[in-house]
Amino acid sequence: LASSKLSRRVSLASSAHESSMMSTTTTNNSKSTRPIHKNAKQQPKTRGFLSDGKLTFRNYFSFSKRNFNHSKAKEFLPFVIPVTTTSVGRISGYIAMSHVASSTLGTYDMAGHQIIFSIFCCLTPFVDALSQVAQSFVPAIFEAKERSSERALALRKTVGNFRKVSVGFGAALLGLVACIPLIGRYFTTDPIVLERVNGAIPGVGLFMLVHGLVCAGEGTLLGQKDLKFLRNMYAIFFFTVPAYMLRLKHRSLMGIQTVGIGTMWGAFSTYNLIRTAVWHLRLAQLQRRTERGVIDGKEKDDR
């Protein structure tokens, strides 16, 4: 009897211990799972029209004054007209060339112009990025508060480095343009069209040779916030380049001059040479002003 009572007590004690352990484990598990369940209910935070959960056509035209930052808008406002004028000034030349090619030249020249322009559009992005890189690097130097000789020297070195890189890219693009006679047969098998394409190669090659300098110079001028100069120059180019192309059209229709795609691309490369000279002469002028400002500042400090 004593042994049976003892075994019964031991079994009751062990069962009580097991039940207490199970309750403790259950409590711990419930505590550990509560934060997870709480976090699972949290929704990701979104802003703007994405916070509504439904994107409708009306959202594209909605405007909230609460989210509009007037101070930031004023910072970008001076760039609107120069950048817009730059883009429009570029496009006007391409439109004028295509108009002259389609309305004045023959079928073979038009086909050759289409091939050359397609290759041209594939090559120009290689150096167009130089303008964006210059707009990223130059402002950090130009907007330095201290107008010291170190700042002037840094500007000179930065512009010089961009010029070196531009010349390298121009040489590489010139090499690619020289390969057009080899790849031209993949665009057409007509020997007359290929002859027209090869006639435009000198103009395209000259354009590409200096196009890196054009893009780097333009980006550097934008980085130095010479916005008024760029706006005025591209306003002039907007009218002069199409006017010259239309003059070629008139001379061709009158029988005064034989105009082909080689003539058009030669004129367009001359326009790029003019931009190269104007941009870098302007940069040299700004550099002299910067160095003169440093000298004048030192003289005032000595007084």
Side-chain angles (χ1 to χ4, degrees):
L1 290 173
S3 61
S4 62
K5 289 182 180 180
L6 180 62
S7 61
R8 187 178 297 175
R9 289 177 183 177
V10 171
S11 62
L12 289 174
S14 60
S15 61
H17 178 69
E18 287 177 359
S19 61
S20 63
M21 290 292 293
M22 290 177 64
S23 61
T24 305
T25 305
T26 306
T27 305
N28 292 334
N29 290 336
S30 62
K31 289 181 180 179
S32 62
T33 55
R34 282 175 186 173
I36 298 174
H37 183 66
K38 185 178 181 180
N39 292 334
K41 290 183 178 180
Q42 291 182 354
Q43 298 293 332
K45 295 181 180 180
T46 57
R47 295 180 179 179
F49 62 86
L50 295 176
S51 60
D52 298 334
K54 294 182 180 180
L55 182 61
T56 61
F57 185 75
R58 187 177 180 181
N59 294 132
Y60 288 99
F61 300 97
S62 62
F63 178 78
S64 177
K65 293 183 178 180
R66 182 181 60 184
N67 298 328
F68 184 73
N69 194 328
H70 292 276
S71 60
K72 291 295 181 181
K74 289 181 180 179
E75 292 180 7
F76 286 95
L77 187 61
F79 292 90
V80 173
I81 296 178
V83 173
T84 305
T85 309
T86 300
S87 302
V88 174
R90 286 180 173 182
I91 295 171
S92 65
Y94 301 142
I95 294 175
M97 287 179 63
S98 299
H99 169 71
V100 173
S102 61
S103 62
T104 307
L105 307 182
T107 306
Y108 296 111
D109 284 290
M110 184 60 194
H113 173 72
Q114 185 64 30
I115 294 172
I116 283 293
F117 191 69
S118 300
I119 297 173
F120 172 84
C121 292
C122 292
L123 296 179
T124 49
F126 284 102
V127 290
D128 285 342
L130 289 174
S131 177
Q132 302 172 9
V133 175
Q135 293 176 51
S136 301
F137 277 89
V138 173
I141 303 172
F142 179 76
E143 295 176 0
K145 295 181 179 180
E146 187 178 357
R147 307 294 176 175
S148 60
S149 57
E150 288 80 7
R151 172 181 172 273
L153 181 61
L155 274 175
R156 179 181 289 276
K157 287 184 177 181
T158 302
V159 174
N161 290 334
F162 273 110
R163 285 171 179 163
K164 293 176 183 177
V165 173
S166 302
V167 171
F169 272 98
L173 291 180
L174 181 61
L176 293 176
V177 171
C179 298
I180 291 178
L182 301 177
I183 65 175
R185 63 178 181 272
Y186 295 105
F187 292 90
T188 181
T189 56
D190 194 315
I192 301 177
V193 176
L194 289 174
E195 182 183 356
R196 300 293 195 274
V197 170
N198 294 337
I201 289 177
V204 178
L206 183 59
F207 187 99
M208 289 298 177
L209 182 62
V210 299
H211 193 51
L213 290 168
V214 171
C215 294
E218 183 180 299
T220 306
L221 289 173
L222 284 171
Q224 296 190 33
K225 295 185 178 180
D226 197 9
L227 307 178
K228 185 178 180 180
F229 175 79
L230 285 172
R231 180 195 64 195
N232 295 337
M233 291 307 304
Y234 270 109
I236 294 172
F237 292 146
F238 175 77
F239 294 102
T240 54
V241 176
Y244 185 79
M245 292 296 174
L246 293 176
R247 183 173 178 271
L248 288 178
K249 173 185 175 180
H250 176 73
R251 291 173 66 86
S252 177
L253 294 176
M254 294 296 293
I256 301 173
Q257 181 182 358
T258 303
V259 178
I261 60 173
T263 310
M264 288 196 312
W265 281 98
F268 204 56
S269 64
T270 303
Y271 156 65
N272 219 29
L273 284 172
I274 294 173
R275 282 198 299 173
T276 304
V278 171
W279 292 171
H280 289 276
L281 286 174
R282 179 63 174 177
L283 285 173
Q285 183 183 19
L286 294 177
Q287 183 64 35
R288 287 194 298 269
R289 288 182 183 178
T290 302
E291 294 174 353
R292 192 182 304 118
V294 174
I295 295 173
D296 294 342
K298 290 182 178 180
E299 290 179 353
K300 289 181 180 179
D301 292 339
D302 293 339
R303 293 175 184 176

